[in-house]
Amino acid sequence: MNYLILKIKMMGGNFRRISQKFYFVSFLSISLFMLFFSPVADGQKIKSLNEILQDGLKNNFDIQIVRNVSQISKNNNSFGNAGYFPTLEADGTGTESNQHINQQYSNGSDIQKTGVKTTNLTAGIELDWTVFNGFLMFAAKHNLNALDKIGMLNFRNQVEISSAAIISAYYNIVRQQEQVKVLKESIKISSIKLDIAKTKFDIGSASKLDYLQAEVDLNADSANYINQVASVKKAKKVLNYLIGEKDTSNYLVADSIILAPAISFNGLQSLALQQNEVILAADARREAALAQIDMAKSGQYPSLTLSSRYNFSDNQAQAGFILLNQANGLNYFGTVRWNLIEGGTVKLGIKNAHINEDIANLTYQDSIASINKQISTNYEDYLANINLVNLVKDNMKFAVENLDIATESYRIGKISLVDFRTAQLGYVNAVTSLENAIYSAKNSEITLMRLTGQIKKEVQ
């Protein structure tokens, strides 16, 4: 895939016609300034967007939360949870009594004992298997399948949302760094301008007012540079949060924002219908609603449960007619249940399930309409931003040429300091406007990719 690479190149070479003396003095002042205020680059590694995204997919908090929620739905989606399998239970009871016995018999004999112990022990294992429950188990499994699918789609949607935010934050740093570069260049220009004004003042060809104003301009540019360096650090903090890393800025990013080839509107909405996670999740909710209708209808049918139980009992007594009684054996039985009168709860459940189906269908249609609207409006923003990029690129060329002419003109005294400053600010604003336009176009592009399920292509 061919990419349109738009880079801002600093125009330092345009000022070579300035005398070597002025440039040497400017270089010393600028070097001292940068020594104290430039971001430290030694030992810093350039992190690509792909590397940043990989970190984000592993560590982003929103992704981790939705991943765990999705895992719960996946865990719940089992045949056992739907009621397909039998249940096996074991139980047991043991009792012991200590009694005083006074027994009289018909033959005239009697028994009187104190401290007679009697023990009873029963245990059993029972297997129950509901082989029919009005097709509830099948409907429940279909519902679990749909819920599992919804959880997976919600996870993928969160991945795309977080990825889009990470990409935007990454390119924001690129934009902020480019503005640092242009402000560095502006400081160089102001330093050269100050040297010219100082020389003119020393030889009496200009007033001290110009010299002082040049000092003010240099200080203003220096302040702007300091603030912009702080903006880069804050932008990195935002990105670090999104990728779940510690609050550190010990890395560099790319030096340019790359725009993909022109995006055509044709096919975007049909692509979203196939790949947009919000639409797919809404469709899965329709599947769940249908399964829930079948679950509600299962209450109209009888249920059949087959059971088998193995029992063991042991009764021992120190007095009485039966001193030992032991028994064990296997029993088989079946149970049929049919709720003939249930107060209309089953019909009510079916009615509400159909209403939920209507809601799911409406939500699905609304999600399609909403995504199509977002694609349409964001595509208009995309076209406007691309046109703005082309316009500002031409404007920047004029600003560079204008600054070049103004520099030479001020040096030989053809224009005033105010006119030179106007040309300088025009150059700074043109470069900044171009970077902002490219960044806005990139954000529009990212949004369109997210809405059509193509955000992963950004790093391919």
Side-chain angles (χ1 to χ4, degrees), residues 28-40 184 225:
L28 286 178
S29 61
I30 295 167
S31 298
L32 290 173
F33 180 83
M34 298 306 173
L35 178 64
F36 290 100
F37 296 106
S38 292
V40 178
K184 278 185 181 181
Y225 174 81

Side-chain angles (χ1 to χ4, degrees), residues 291-348:
Q292 289 162 14
I293 292 175
D294 292 335
M295 292 173 65
K297 288 181 178 179
S298 67
Q300 297 176 324
Y301 300 95
S303 65
L304 172 62
T305 302
L306 300 180
S307 303
S308 177
R309 181 177 179 85
Y310 175 81
N311 289 314
F312 170 80
S313 63
D314 180 85
N315 301 318
Q316 298 183 26
Q318 293 181 338
F321 290 104
I322 301 176
L323 301 181
L324 175 64
N325 183 14
Q326 290 183 339
N328 63 83
L330 189 64
N331 302 317
Y332 309 92
F333 53 95
T335 303
V336 177
R337 292 185 177 87
W338 197 344
N339 197 347
L340 300 177
I341 300 176
E342 30 71 29
T345 57
V346 173
K347 290 183 178 180
L348 178 62

Side-chain angles (χ1 to χ4, degrees), residues 35-224:
L35 178 64
F36 290 100
F37 296 106
S38 292
V40 178
D42 291 341
Q44 289 184 320
K45 175 187 175 183
I46 296 179
K47 279 194 173 183
S48 67
L49 177 59
N50 197 1
E51 291 176 309
I52 291 291
L53 277 174
Q54 294 305 317
D55 291 339
L57 292 177
K58 291 186 295 185
N59 303 322
N60 179 271
F61 294 114
D62 291 330
I63 290 178
Q64 292 185 71
I65 291 171
V66 180
R67 179 189 288 119
N68 287 333
V69 173
S70 174
Q71 186 62 45
I72 292 175
S73 298
K74 185 177 182 62
N75 294 341
N76 289 337
N77 187 19
S78 66
F79 286 98
N81 198 31
Y84 275 74
F85 299 143
T87 60
L88 182 65
E89 294 181 347
D91 59 74
T93 304
T95 62
E96 180 175 308
S97 61
N98 191 325
Q99 299 176 325
H100 172 73
I101 295 179
N102 185 357
Q103 297 178 339
Q104 294 182 352
Y105 298 96
S106 58
N107 59 6
S109 62
D110 61 2
I111 299 176
Q112 293 187 8
K113 285 188 177 182
T114 303
V116 176
K117 291 185 178 180
T118 302
T119 59
N120 297 309
L121 177 63
T122 60
I125 298 177
E126 183 170 329
L127 177 70
D128 297 310
W129 194 352
T130 300
V131 295
F132 180 77
N133 56 358
F135 309 103
L136 176 61
M137 65 183 72
F138 304 104
K141 188 61 173 68
H142 292 160
N143 184 55
L144 292 174
N145 289 341
L147 294 178
D148 186 8
K149 185 178 181 180
I150 292 170
M152 181 267 295
L153 290 169
N154 287 339
F155 168 67
R156 283 165 47 181
N157 183 52
Q158 185 59 56
V159 168
E160 294 195 347
I161 292 174
S162 297
S163 296
I166 290 170
I167 294 170
S168 180
Y170 182 88
Y171 284 128
N172 182 45
I173 298 175
V174 177
R175 175 180 65 131
Q176 301 287 357
Q177 285 184 167
E178 290 302 304
Q179 292 179 8
V180 168
K181 292 179 183 179
V182 73
L183 290 175
K184 278 185 181 181
E185 190 69 21
S186 185
I187 290 173
K188 293 179 183 179
I189 298 169
S190 293
S191 182
I192 292 171
K193 181 176 62 177
L194 176 62
D195 289 339
I196 297 173
K198 176 70 166 56
T199 300
K200 286 184 176 183
F201 172 69
D202 289 341
I203 65 177
S205 64
S207 67
K208 189 176 181 179
L209 182 61
D210 282 357
Y211 171 61
L212 294 176
Q213 185 59 49
E215 287 273 15
V216 171
D217 292 344
L218 177 59
N219 290 336
D221 291 341
S222 300
N224 290 335

